[in-house]
Amino acid sequence: MENSSLTLDDFLSRFQLLRPQVNGETLNRRQAAVLIPVVRRARSGLLLTQRSARLRKHAGQVAFPGGAVDSSDASLIAAALREAQEEVAIPPESVEVIGVLPPVDSVTGFQVTPVVGIIPPNLHYHASEDEVASVFEMPLSEALRLGRYHPLDIYRRGDSHRVWLSWYEHYFVWGMTAGIIRELALQIGVRP
């Protein structure tokens, strides 16, 4: 699929036609969820955050809004929506959840479930100063261009792990975030 002219309708129909295969094999038991916010507009965008440099874990990294599941969360989707509201003030009722991608094991011991949602273009984001340094949007067609992601094999505790690296403007997108975006591109049928 050529994604230079990817419309939101194309994205939605391909995502819903090509449901992800959910693999039951996971290593981590602690649950977390992130929201993949796709901004509804003529040239749709993917909303991302840059984490605060003051955070203890993943400081300064580009990420999706999200975090650990709380006991008050009714589901993984509820956790992703709550975290998006806490981190960047996205009202849960403004998110049209269209599905989830298969969970990903993080190096910090969480099983992270990516929740894909469509958000309106007129939201006023308000970054939580404690957690988020900036909020930015990458054009969806650019985010889903597989050629922008480059593999790097790293070795940790005797095992090889592949991570994906990319730049967008002055933002370095890598690790789990780049891997999730790449998985979304593969899910909707973008070819390498």
Side-chain angles (χ1 to χ4, degrees):
M1 173 186 177
E2 176 60 46
N3 65 331
S4 61
S5 61
L6 180 73
T7 67
L8 184 59
D9 287 341
D10 293 337
F11 172 81
L12 288 170
S13 65
R14 294 188 71 79
F15 183 83
Q16 292 175 349
L17 284 173
L18 302 169
R19 286 293 188 195
Q21 298 296 314
V22 178
N23 181 345
E25 185 180 320
T26 59
L27 303 174
N28 298 329
R29 295 288 173 231
R30 297 183 343 193
Q31 298 291 308
V34 296
L35 179 64
I36 302 175
V38 177
V39 183
R40 182 185 297 277
R41 63 175 90 240
R43 292 195 66 213
S44 296
L46 189 63
L47 189 78
L48 294 157
T49 67
Q50 184 173 33
R51 293 171 53 86
S52 170
R54 297 185 305 266
L55 290 173
R56 204 167 41 99
K57 292 183 180 175
H58 309 295
Q61 290 185 5
V62 169
F64 291 110
V69 174
D70 285 350
S71 59
S72 63
D73 294 323
S75 65
L76 292 165
I77 291 172
L81 296 176
R82 175 186 52 75
E83 285 283 345
Q85 183 172 33
E86 290 174 7
E87 291 181 19
V88 291
I90 297 174
E93 64 275 7
S94 70
V95 180
E96 178 189 342
V97 175
I98 62 167
V100 298
L101 292 176
V104 179
D105 284 320
S106 76
V107 296
T108 55
F110 283 91
Q111 180 183 354
V112 180
T113 299
V115 176
V116 183
I118 309 300
I119 61 173
N122 57 350
L123 291 180
H124 298 288
Y125 311 115
H126 178 73
S128 165
E129 291 179 19
D130 294 336
E131 296 184 62
V132 177
S134 64
V135 180
F136 67 99
E137 196 174 313
M138 182 189 302
L140 186 62
S141 59
E142 182 60 25
L144 299 179
R145 189 172 58 81
L146 285 173
R148 73 175 295 106
Y149 299 98
H150 306 283
L152 174 67
D153 292 322
I154 58 172
Y155 296 89
R156 180 182 292 131
R157 297 183 204 111
D159 292 326
S160 174
H161 302 276
R162 176 159 283 182
V163 295
W164 297 93
L165 315 169
S166 182
W167 282 95
Y168 175 70
E169 295 179 348
H170 64 277
Y171 295 102
F172 183 46
V173 184
W174 70 285
M176 182 178 286
T177 301
I180 289 172
I181 299 170
R182 190 175 180 282
E183 185 62 34
L184 180 61
L186 292 169
Q187 172 58 37
I188 66 162
V190 174
R191 297 290 167 241

